[in-house]
Amino acid sequence: MTIRVYNTLSGEKEEFVPVQPGKVGIYLCGPTVYKPSHIGHAVGPVIFDAIKRYLTFRGYQVTWVVNITDVEDKLIAEAAAQNLPVFTLAERITENYNDAMRRLGVTGIDHMPKASEYIPDIIAYVQRLIDKGAAYPSGGDVYFDVTADRDYGKLSNRSPDEQFGQRELQSGQKRHPGDFALWKESKPDEPNEVKFASPWGQGRPGWHIECSVMSMKLLGETFDIHGGGMDLIFPHHENEIAQSETATDRPFAKYWLHNGLTRFNTKKIAKSDPEMAKFMEKMVLTRLLDEYGGELLRYLILSTHYRSPIDFSDAEMAAKSKALSTFHRLFERIERVTGRSPYADLLTLEQAPVAGLDAFVAEVGGFRERFVQVMDDDFNTAAAIAVLFELAARVNRFIDENKVESAPQDTTRMATLGAGRVLVELGRLLGLFLEPPVRRSGGSEKLDAVMRVLIDIRQHCRKNKDFATADLIRDKLVEEGITLVDRPGGTEWQMSQ
RNA sequence: GGCGGCGUAGCCAAGUGGACUAAGGCGCGGGUUUGCAAAACCCGUAUUCAUCGGUUCGAAUCCGAUCGCCGCCUCCA
């Protein structure tokens, strides 16, 4: 079985063959840290975190890099507006981003290089392009000459002459309208901290160059997967390819994976869009994490194929929340009937003492195979999640059919736990089910005690067939946001959502 | 204008030439269970994949045209 991925470069699904057998290098374009991250910034990291988890499961040794662009026009402008040193603002926003990543369960990032820490490498790289005749200093800037790259435009299907031929030369500094800055001369009003000495005078890197330099440094001149949002295909990724392949005379990234953009009211979420600006506050990632939690946002992102856009709305989140809780309820149920948590227990279904249940064990194995099959096909997390739902329903049915709740036998109990464990393990390949959801119980001992009293009284009523009073207690508690659930073993309560 | 993507049930969303008489979720209807609920389970919910035409033994899947939506071509995950 081989893994297939859709490659933007070829426009087709291709068999995934890493540059070095057994190893995979992934570079994902991270944020420019000038404003708090919004929901769209979560998409790439979540998807690639799942991809890394999955590739690791498939036996690859994966190195994943996400860059932080911390020297850039907008950041400088924003720092000035806030009257802050550039790197103070950059650090704050980076911390905001990292905090969001943690809460989303994005734990697989191996390196987060910052542009500001690679200035000498960037300068050397620019010099290398000048030496090759593919770049030229002009004023205090240095530009890449797009005509030096024969196949410029191969990623986004545009040729310099067709695309830029008509356009006015905006800057008299450029020879060709499509040329782009590798190095930008410092402007007088910019703070000293972003003025770097170079052979071309004081300046700072252009936008695309840092990704070429840092990816090469950390992953090699040719690496496996380069990712980012679809809006980066042109010009950013196109220019990365141009400068990298011109510098090294070798292929840059082998596979280009681009995720769909997150939308709100069918429009792309973008910080610079004035129309979207009024919703921006709502789209701030940390705020959404407070409201919905990391697992649910992650679930939202993975419940769609990564190349499709996601329309964000509260109504959709409510539906997703209901769906996701199916799993949580099953895990609780498993813990209730087996006394062991599928989150923590390491018992595998194969190891479980489940004599006589071979058919069930085989069926669960079938779900696992289907999961792998759909993930192998361009990381189809949406289809993989569908398999998880089917498995969950199967486990619930197993519990029902075998009366595991009321008349448990050792074998059926162990099979329930083992199957639940399979579900947890598959979910974790997507980064779901990492830990139990926070139980919404009151937490205070006093409340626990009062609830026990109420439940006892209600139990008494029920025994005496005084259902009117029993229901009254239950209804009144609902008004207070507390739900009672009667089970064979007794009544449980929890704070409702 | 150029490049790219999309249009599948009330909604979200897989599937991109034959096992599709189209996954999965939300919602809705019916049933089992329950004192009643909740949860769980079972059944039903698109003869049809924007529209029209073509290729093929066979198309949601390929080709062409039309309509609609979105993204990129300036910064953007």
Side-chain angles (χ1 to χ4, degrees):
Chain A
M1 279 197 296
T2 57
I3 295 172
R4 290 163 58 79
V5 296
Y6 180 90
N7 189 352
T8 305
L9 198 53
S10 63
E12 325 187 306
K13 273 187 204 169
E14 299 175 17
E15 190 176 317
F16 178 70
V17 183
V19 177
Q20 288 179 60
K23 292 189 176 179
V24 180
I26 301 177
Y27 187 92
L28 175 70
C29 283
T32 298
V33 282
Y34 75 105
K35 276 185 179 173
S37 303
H38 62 252
I39 174 77
H41 290 109
V43 176
V46 164
I47 288 159
F48 279 92
D49 188 69
I51 287 174
K52 180 179 175 182
R53 286 171 193 269
Y54 186 70
L55 289 175
T56 303
F57 160 77
R58 294 291 263 112
Y60 293 101
Q61 192 186 319
V62 182
T63 305
W64 179 25
V65 179
V66 178
N67 70 290
I68 297 288
T69 297
D70 63 350
V71 184
E72 194 267 346
D73 295 17
K74 286 192 170 178
L75 170 60
I76 294 167
E78 183 67 22
Q82 293 191 29
N83 209 0
L84 283 171
V86 170
F87 294 117
T88 302
L89 177 63
E91 273 165 35
R92 275 184 203 172
I93 301 294
T94 302
E95 190 38 53
N96 169 273
Y97 180 80
N98 288 155
D99 175 53
M101 291 305 116
R102 267 192 299 277
R103 291 161 74 185
L104 284 161
V106 174
T107 55
I109 301 172
D110 296 292
H111 303 282
M112 292 189 93
K114 295 174 179 163
S116 64
E117 293 170 356
Y118 284 79
I119 300 296
D121 297 293
I122 290 170
I123 290 170
Y125 200 100
V126 173
Q127 188 60 53
R128 185 172 171 185
L129 284 166
I130 293 173
D131 293 344
K132 283 205 128 186
Y136 55 94
S138 176
D141 299 338
V142 180
Y143 292 96
F144 183 85
D145 173 7
V146 289
T147 62
D149 179 23
R150 262 170 289 100
D151 52 9
Y152 183 84
K154 64 181 173 183
L155 184 70
S156 60
N157 288 314
R158 50 196 97 194
S159 72
D161 290 332
E162 280 171 25
Q163 283 304 307
F164 306 112
Q166 321 295 44
R167 201 202 287 172
E168 299 277 316
L169 263 175
Q170 293 166 335
S171 158
Q173 313 270 62
K174 294 185 190 178
R175 289 181 193 162
H176 184 109
D179 290 353
F180 56 90
L182 299 170
W183 188 262
K184 292 177 159 182
E185 182 179 24
S186 295
K187 297 178 187 68
D189 58 335
E190 287 172 357
N192 287 329
E193 56 185 334
V194 290
K195 289 179 178 166
F196 301 96
S198 81
W200 318 287
Q202 294 231 307
R204 57 194 164 84
W207 175 34
H208 318 293
I209 191 74
E210 86 274 21
C211 285
S212 289
V213 170
M214 298 190 293
S215 62
M216 180 183 297
K217 189 107 180 179
L218 293 164
L219 297 172
E221 293 188 349
T222 299
F223 58 93
D224 301 290
I225 296 174
H226 193 128
M230 285 194 176
D231 51 351
L232 295 183
I233 294 173
F234 188 89
H236 187 231
H237 290 337
E238 193 68 75
N239 291 350
E240 278 186 54
I241 293 177
Q243 65 202 183
S244 299
E245 300 194 344
T246 301
T248 65
D249 292 312
R250 298 180 57 178
F252 184 43
K254 201 168 173 190
Y255 306 96
W256 289 84
L257 273 58
H258 289 102
N259 60 269
L261 304 176
T262 310
R263 305 187 305 191
F264 183 71
N265 292 147
T266 79
K267 293 272 190 245
K268 171 187 170 184
I269 294 171
K271 285 181 277 208
S272 49
D273 181 346
E275 193 53 29
M276 197 50 67
K278 52 190 164 202
F279 302 115
M280 235 27 245
E281 203 170 322
K282 182 173 170 48
M283 297 303 155
V284 167
L285 198 43
T286 43
R287 202 198 71 78
L288 292 172
L289 283 162
D290 288 342
E291 184 167 351
Y292 297 112
E295 189 180 37
L296 183 54
L297 281 176
R298 187 172 182 117
Y299 174 79
L300 170 80
I301 290 165
L302 295 176
S303 64
T304 301
H305 182 90
Y306 73 84
R307 250 178 299 114
S308 303
I310 301 169
D311 254 302
F312 183 86
S313 73
D314 289 316
E316 191 55 27
M317 288 307 282
K320 298 290 186 202
S321 174
K322 181 82 196 304
L324 181 61
S325 66
T326 297
F327 298 108
H328 299 151
R329 281 192 298 269
L330 172 59
F331 296 144
E332 275 178 24
R333 189 182 191 195
I334 291 171
E335 186 165 0
R336 202 161 59 235
V337 305
T338 67
R340 291 158 76 168
S341 166
Y343 284 101
D345 216 293
L346 294 176
L347 178 100
T348 68
L349 191 54
E350 289 73 15
Q351 295 166 342
V354 289
L357 298 171
D358 297 351
F360 177 66
V361 172
E363 216 180 319
V364 174
F367 284 109
R368 194 206 303 265
E369 278 168 33
R370 279 177 53 206
F371 182 97
V372 170
Q373 200 180 314
V374 296
M375 282 298 284
D376 273 359
D377 186 5
D378 199 24
F379 310 114
N380 193 338
T381 55
I385 285 172
V387 174
L388 298 185
F389 274 107
E390 290 182 55
L391 175 55
R394 183 66 189 89
V395 177
N396 267 315
R397 186 150 58 86
F398 181 84
I399 296 171
D400 287 350
E401 283 173 347
N402 292 282
K403 299 185 169 40
V404 183
E405 227 143 354
S406 50
Q409 295 176 290
D410 263 5
T411 50
T412 54
R413 263 212 326 252
M414 287 303 103
T416 300
L417 181 61
R421 184 67 206 168
V422 170
L423 187 52
V424 168
E425 281 170 2
L426 293 179
R428 283 182 181 172
L429 294 179
L430 303 176
L432 298 171
F433 317 149
L434 297 177
E435 50 191 49
V438 181
R439 290 269 304 184
R440 290 168 205 267
S441 62
S444 91
E445 281 180 36
K446 210 65 181 171
L447 181 59
D448 284 349
V450 171
M451 285 309 300
R452 271 199 303 278
V453 170
L454 281 170
I455 288 170
D456 280 353
I457 292 170
R458 179 164 169 277
Q459 202 55 37
H460 188 76
C461 296
R462 291 175 73 205
K463 249 185 201 141
N464 295 328
K465 307 253 187 246
D466 179 7
F467 295 119
T469 308
D471 291 348
L472 184 67
I473 292 171
R474 186 170 60 193
D475 293 346
K476 287 286 182 191
L477 285 171
V478 166
E479 287 172 25
E480 297 303 322
I482 292 169
T483 308
L484 292 188
V485 182
D486 297 323
R487 300 188 197 284
T491 299
E492 289 179 11
W493 68 277
Q494 65 183 81
M495 310 289 271
S496 23
Q497 309 230 350

